[in-house]
Every structure is written in structure tokens, then in C-alpha cells.
Amino acid sequence: MTGKKIKFFSSIHFKIALVFTLTLVVTLELIGAVFIRQLERSSLASFRQQITLPAYVNDALVQQLEGESGGSKINSDIHTVLTAVNNSSITDIEVIDAKGIIRGVSDINNQSVVGQKTTDANLRAALSNSKYSKNPIEKKGNKRYQVIVKPLVTSTDGNSTVVGVVKVTANLEAVYDSLQQISTLYFSATLLAIALGIVMSLIISRALTKPISEISERTTRIARGDYSGEIIIRSRDEIGELGKNVNLLAERIEETTNSTEFERRRLDMVLGHMTDGVIATDRRGMINIINSSALNFLGIESLNEGDQRSIIQVLKIEEEYSLRELLEDTGEITLDFSTQERPLILKAYVNLLQRSSGFISGLVVVLHDVTEQERINEERRQFVSNVSHELRTPLTSVKSYIDALQDGALEDQTVAHSFLTVAQNETTRMIHMINDLLELSRMDQGRMKLNMEFVNVGELFNYILNRFDMIISSDDKPEKTYSIVRDITTAPVWAELDTSKFTQVIDNIMNNAIKYSPDGSEIVVSMHENEHHVILSITDQGLGIPKKDLTHVFDRFFRVDKARSRAQGGSGLGLAISKEIIEQFHGRIWAESVEGKGSTFYIALPFEPDFEAEDWDEGAWDDEA
Ligand code: ADP
């Protein structure tokens, strides 16, 4: 898949050049062979033409031989005829008579053979009218000679008679030399042509293969994911078409890759922004997708690519489930991932990842944080158990008093009276508690009716505190005495609240301050404002609240000391109701305390800085209070 460099000898570039060159060589060789052969033939033919004796010489020879009687006169006449032949190409002319006797030789140096019988079989065959070769090539030493054998014939009355044979011999070396020269020239030209052919074929095949190399390079780059650069189309042939298609292909792949990439990023975004954890696995249960919420829930830093982690292992359910069980029995699993720092209960919803063919390609597990839900459920359970418990104690005591009365205590007037008082107190307490519970339930359901109005908080606060002062100064003194020290701003501060509910809250905190303080102690109340809030505080000198319980005192049924609180008639719901009310006013309530020294309860309420005093109806709360 990578762009491995192709060796020159394996390349198409080389192969095309090789085929081209071989074709050229074979063609030139064939043409050369035929041409040389043809040239040789035609050269020899024209040479033969050139050395053929003119007809009158033949005729003269026939005349001499016809009338011959074997005298030497004829021989000298023949010699005269032969020497008259003026042809420089001819080496020798030899004439034999019908008996095969050599009668004349043109070569002066060879006159001794005249009169001798010829040894040449071919000549004798020509004489006897049997098969002979007309133009044989003879070799003497290393020289070649063209021979023309011509029977000398007379014809009388239509009968022809061979009277002799003339043999012309001519040296062929000049012809062969020129043939040799031509072939040498041809050979050099061929070599040059081949050399040029190789160069040209290399150039042409380069031109052919270059676009292919470009296409190959481009496809390699595409495979690497680099879609840049375009193949330049230089020709309109098949390769040009291929280049065009590759360009088109690259465009399509880029588009597809981009859209896949976009889809992937979108999926990542969706998964990344989900508060639920999502894990997807392959068939073997190995995780291939996990979002940040899931990583967070499971306390995993990150899953690098190639990190093979099994879902079973990551969810820490190896002991309860095998992968097979998980695949077969999809549904919900509750997982406890609580640590010392934080509680964490997860619901894992396991689903199969199925293709349309039904093939199971993995699992998708959605992790949902149900800690809060579980906490609420737990609180609810706790609440029901608390209510039952709270009611059972007074009911049991009422029942036991009634039983005692029935068993005879009724007879004793004083005992009966005190028993009935206890029963009455307990019942009153239960009614109080049930009323408190009903009020809380109304708040929970959002059914609490509030009469919201703008109130001068300082005045209302003073008004409520005045009532507490009056309780001690009245003739009917309470069991416990106390004094209230006020530090309240005189400037009017307006806040929107429901006066009766506000009064209920202050009453509750004041009652607690008195309840949980020793007799005759001081209660310091203050009211100040900061930029946005008016802050009220009530500080007692009581037994205080342990640090760990400071936030819990606002929980339903919470009591620091259950027995004592209950003995003092507390239901443990007062502060819980107060908190709900203050939150309805968009305020905040909290407590600070030093154990054994006392506690401070704070209320912060948002105030209205621009409120006009005329809008306020002064005696508004008198009737309600
Ligand atoms: P209760 O009816 O029991 O007083 P509250 O909801 O009013 O119920 O108070 C819850 C608990 O908070 C009390 O039982 C008590 O233990 C503690 N608490 C409230 N106010 C004070 C205080 N001023 N000093 C000490 N403890 C207090």
C-alpha cells in the first residue's frame, strides 16, 4: 500500500523500451537480411549481364568451330576473337569444341592448356546436352569467380547441334567488396537506428509511464489520507481518463471521509456532553467507545487507543457476570462506585448492538447516576420510619396510661387526673407533629399558600420580639426567664415576605433559644444589612450544637439529643419547616455554634432598596399575630 520504489528493470518503463527495442532489432535484422540477399542477387545478375559475351562473339566462335578440322589456324582465329573481347571485368574466356578439347583461352599466361581435353565436368555436361549449371560460382584460393557457361549451337533445318561451349570466368571480389561495404554501412545504420530507437523508446515509454507513476503516487497519498494536489491531465487517452477518474475518486473519498469525520465528531460531541456515561464494546466485550462521563464515573483517567479493557472488568462485575450472561440477559444492573470522598450509585442499562441482519456486534452500556435518587429514596424510607417511630412513642405512652386507668388507677382521683394530663399532653404533641408534617407535605407539594407583601423587616422583627418580652413581664411567668438584647437598625429595610410564616420562623428560633438555654440567660438579637441582604441573627448562651450536627439541625426529625428534645416537647420539625419557609422567601438560614457556649441562628433575606414607604399598610400584621 505504501509507495514502494519500483526497480528500473521491473518497471513498465523498462519493459516498454525493451519490447520496442527488440521489435526494432528484429525488424531491422529481417529487413537487412532480405535487403542484403536481394542486393546480392541483383548485383550478381547485373554482373552476369555485364560479363555476358556479345552475340557476335558467340556467332564468330560458332563459325570457327563449325568449319573446323582441328587445325591450329582455328585456334589462333579463336584466340583473335577472344582477345578482341574488350571487357575488363572478365578474367578469362575459355572455348572448348564438341569433343571437349580446349580450343582457346583469353588468358595469355595460360595458353598451354589449349589443345588439352577439359577436366571441367560442368562443361562436358553442357556439351552432352545434359543438366549443367549455367552460372556457377567457383572458388579459387580465397577468391570467388562468376562463371557463365554458354553452349555454342548451330541450327540447320531446325536441328540444333552443340559445336562447343564457351566459359566466361570473372572475378567476383569487386562485387562482393561493394556488397560488403553496403552491408557494413547498413549494419552501422542499423546500430545507430537501434541506439536512437532505445533512446526514443525510453523517452516515449517515460512519457507513457510518467502519468501512471503520478497516478500511483496520488493513490498512495490518498491511502495515507492526503487528498491535496490533483493529477494534471495531459492526454485524452485511456491514461488521461484514468487520471480523471482518480481525481474524481479522491474528491469522493475526501467528501466521504469528511462526512464520516463530521459524523464521528458529532457523535463525540454528543457523547462528550452527555451527563450519562456511555460505553460501547465489540463482540468480545472490549471497550471501543467510552465518553468522559463514563470515565469519570468509573474513575478511569483515559482509555488510550489500543488499550484493551473489558467491560466486565471496568464495571467490576467479574464475580457476578460473565460476558455471555451479560449478552443473554441484558437489562439493568445497579453498581456501587462510592468512594470515601463521594457516594456514587450507578444504574447500568445494558443493550445489545445489533446489525439489521441480527448479528450481534457488541454491547452498549448507558450509566446513569442514581445517587441522588437513591438518597431521596433512602430519605423517604428514613422519613416513614421516623414518623412511625415518633408517633409510636406517644401512642404507646397514652395506651399504657389508659391501660393503667382501666386497671384501677381511675379510682384514685389524683393519679387519674395526672395520667389524663399526660395523655392529653401526648395527644396535643402528636397533633402538633401531625400539623407540622402536613405543613411540610404541603410545602413539598408546592401547595403552601403564601401572602407575599413588602414588609419593613426591622419593625416586624421588633414586633415579634416584643411579644417574647411581654411573656416574661406578664403576671403568668413562664418556667424559664430570659432577657433579650437588641441590636437592630432603625433604618427601614423592605423585603417581600409572608408575615405570618416569618413570624413562625422567628418564634421557632426564639423558642429553641429559650428551650436549649439555662434559666435567666441572655438572647442577643441583631439585624444588619449588606449590599443585597438583610441579615438577622439570634444568639443564645445555651448548650450549643456540635459542629458535625450544625447542618443537620435543619433536617426533618433531627435532634441533637433526642431524649431531651422530646422531653421538651420538640418534634424535630421546627427548623426543617423554617428552612423551607426562608427558602420560599429566596433567603438562606444557617447556624453557628460553640458547644457549651451557645448558638447563633442567621437568616439572610434579599431586600428591596427602592421600595416606597407609602405603599406599606402599617397595621397589616396586627390581626394575624
Ligand atoms: P425541636 O422541636 O426538637 O426543637 P427543631 O427542628 O426546632 O426541633 O430543632 C432541631 C434540633 O436542633 C433540636 O432538637 C436541638 O437539638 C437543636 N437545636 C435547635 N436550636 C438549638 C439551640 N438554640 N441550641 C441548641 N440546640 C438547638
Side-chain angles (χ1 to χ4, degrees), residues 510-539:
M510 282 300 292
N511 280 327
N512 279 346
I514 299 162
K515 203 158 53 175
Y516 300 109
S517 297
D519 190 23
S521 65
E522 212 170 61
I523 296 169
V524 181
V525 294
S526 79
M527 188 185 106
H528 295 287
E529 59 198 272
N530 64 20
E531 214 181 334
H532 301 292
H533 290 94
V534 52
I535 297 163
L536 295 88
S537 73
I538 298 169
T539 308

Side-chain angles (χ1 to χ4, degrees), residues 345-374:
I345 309 292
L346 298 171
K347 266 253 150 74
Y349 301 92
V350 184
N351 283 297
L352 292 179
L353 248 183
Q354 254 170 326
R355 296 203 189 134
S356 49
S357 60
F359 178 81
I360 296 168
S361 57
L363 283 172
V364 180
V365 179
V366 176
L367 299 174
H368 188 63
D369 182 354
V370 291
T371 317
E372 184 61 17
Q373 207 173 310
E374 286 291 307

